[in-house]
Amino acid sequence: MSFAKAYSGMKGAAARALILGVCGLGLAGCESLSSLNPFEKDTSYKPEIVSNAPAEEIYNDGLARVQKGDFDGAVTKFSSLDKQYPYTDWARKGLIMEAYANYEGGFYDEAITASRRYLQSYPNTSDAAYAQYLLASSYYDQIPDITRDQEKSERAVLALQELIQRYPNSEYVSDARKKIQVASDQLAGKELEVGRFYLQKRNYAGAINRFRNVVARYQTTRHVEEALQRLTEAYMAMGIVNEAQTAAAVLGHNFPDSPWYKDAHALLTKGGVEPREDSQSWISKAFRGVPQVGQRTG
């Protein structure tokens, strides 16, 4: 018979006797259940209520840690403002500084998270543009060398473009444009690297797709000249002479002194044709409205 069933069948003194018996066996002579309370006879213990430090004091402590280069400690201070003073202006200031301290400390993922939280919570405040800038810069500063995956470069470009679109009058726009140029150049370089590999393997269709990305998406980068020459080479190899002529003609029109144009022209001449632009070609359409070489930046 279980203890529960035995107890349920007892009443009064019998039940009390069973409880006392269990107490005696299990606790080896305990006088009462009150002896289990460690504070029963300890009158020296007094509960203490710890009050929060003033918000301004916490904020200034975070700033002091930033100045000392203790970014990890600064993050701890700034993040505590939201916990101790939620929905206040101090919490808002603490969040943008949390993003900044994370960025300066090289904690890029945390900086991105804090920046996004700020933009979600305070999209229309004066520091929103700065939060977007920190978000974009956190991606930008993680751009790897050209041999590696360029996801961070793509994210940087998108975040920087969003900064320009959402906050066109902010002080960060000029720097954002410069960063976009650098990140785009990195992306174009990666496309060229893969395209060259395909071209070497005589996978001309795969190579053309890569070179086309450079021409269509990264026309203001330094890689566009080579991309047009490589298109000339790949199209000639496939026997698509019209597109090869157009690629060379567009290259010569925009970069007449480029060594890549000389190579493209020589390749066509060897094949018995000359550069000639087809206005209906995607290459020609891609370059309509693009600044001439003298107007290009980067």
Side-chain angles (χ1 to χ4, degrees):
M1 179 182 296
S2 67
F3 174 82
K5 290 183 179 179
Y7 178 75
S8 64
M10 297 181 181
K11 296 183 180 179
R16 287 194 296 273
L18 178 59
I19 294 175
L20 292 175
V22 171
C23 177
L25 292 173
L27 299 179
C30 66
E31 296 179 359
S32 68
L33 293 177
S34 63
S35 64
L36 295 176
N37 185 350
F39 306 113
E40 181 69 21
K41 298 178 181 180
D42 186 1
T43 58
S44 64
Y45 171 78
K46 294 181 181 179
E48 181 180 357
I49 300 175
V50 180
S51 60
N52 291 336
E56 185 175 6
E57 180 181 322
I58 297 174
Y59 184 82
N60 288 336
D61 191 1
L63 292 179
R65 290 173 184 269
V66 166
Q67 292 176 344
K68 294 177 181 178
D70 179 15
F71 300 110
D72 195 20
V75 168
T76 300
K77 289 295 179 180
F78 291 131
S79 63
S80 69
L81 286 168
D82 185 52
K83 298 181 180 70
Q84 298 183 35
Y85 299 94
Y87 311 111
T88 65
D89 198 43
W90 286 111
R92 180 186 66 80
K93 291 179 179 180
L95 184 54
I96 190 66
M97 288 305 299
E98 179 184 344
Y100 169 75
N102 273 312
Y103 172 73
E104 288 296 321
F107 315 126
Y108 296 122
D109 290 343
E110 291 80 359
I112 291 168
T113 298
S115 297
R116 281 184 174 150
R117 281 177 53 211
Y118 189 95
L119 290 166
Q120 291 171 355
S121 301
Y122 313 103
N124 300 316
T125 59
S126 58
D127 287 324
Y130 186 53
Q132 183 67 35
Y133 179 72
L134 286 174
L135 171 65
S137 296
S138 295
Y139 281 124
Y140 179 85
D141 285 4
Q142 295 184 82
I143 292 178
D145 65 73
I146 207 169
T147 62
R148 300 173 62 186
D149 180 77
Q150 296 298 309
E151 180 184 0
K152 292 292 192 301
S153 301
E154 293 176 352
R155 289 180 179 270
V157 169
L158 291 174
L160 290 163
Q161 289 174 338
E162 186 173 357
L163 169 63
I164 294 172
Q165 293 168 1
R166 294 181 61 182
Y167 312 101
N169 299 319
S170 78
E171 61 186 291
Y172 311 107
V173 167
S174 177
D175 190 53
R177 294 188 189 280
K178 294 176 183 178
K179 282 184 165 67
I180 286 175
Q181 186 67 28
V182 173
S184 296
D185 194 83
Q186 191 79 351
L187 289 166
K190 181 63 176 181
E191 291 294 293
L192 266 180
E193 181 190 48
V194 178
R196 290 191 211 101
F197 173 79
Y198 286 146
L199 194 61
Q200 184 179 19
K201 297 296 183 180
R202 297 185 180 182
N203 180 355
Y204 301 119
I208 287 171
N209 285 335
R210 296 294 182 161
F211 301 141
R212 178 170 184 155
N213 284 340
V214 177
V215 171
R217 299 173 59 187
Y218 309 114
Q219 297 164 348
T220 61
T221 69
R222 61 190 173 92
H223 297 293
V224 71
E225 298 173 46
E226 181 181 351
L228 286 166
Q229 190 278 332
R230 298 293 185 184
L231 280 172
T232 303
E233 184 179 349
Y235 277 129
M236 282 295 286
M238 292 185 73
I240 309 176
V241 179
N242 182 61
E243 292 286 56
Q245 289 177 288
T246 299
V250 170
L251 175 57
H253 178 69
N254 288 274
F255 309 96
D257 299 323
S258 171
W260 293 109
Y261 174 60
K262 295 177 181 179
D263 290 344
H265 190 279
L267 182 62
L268 290 180
T269 301
K270 185 178 180 181
V273 294
E274 293 288 328
R276 181 178 60 81
E277 183 174 354
D278 179 359
S279 61
Q280 298 304 309
S281 167
W282 71 266
I283 303 172
S284 180
K285 292 177 181 179
F287 268 80
R288 288 175 190 169
V290 176
Q292 296 300 303
V293 62
Q295 300 173 290
R296 292 176 185 269
T297 60

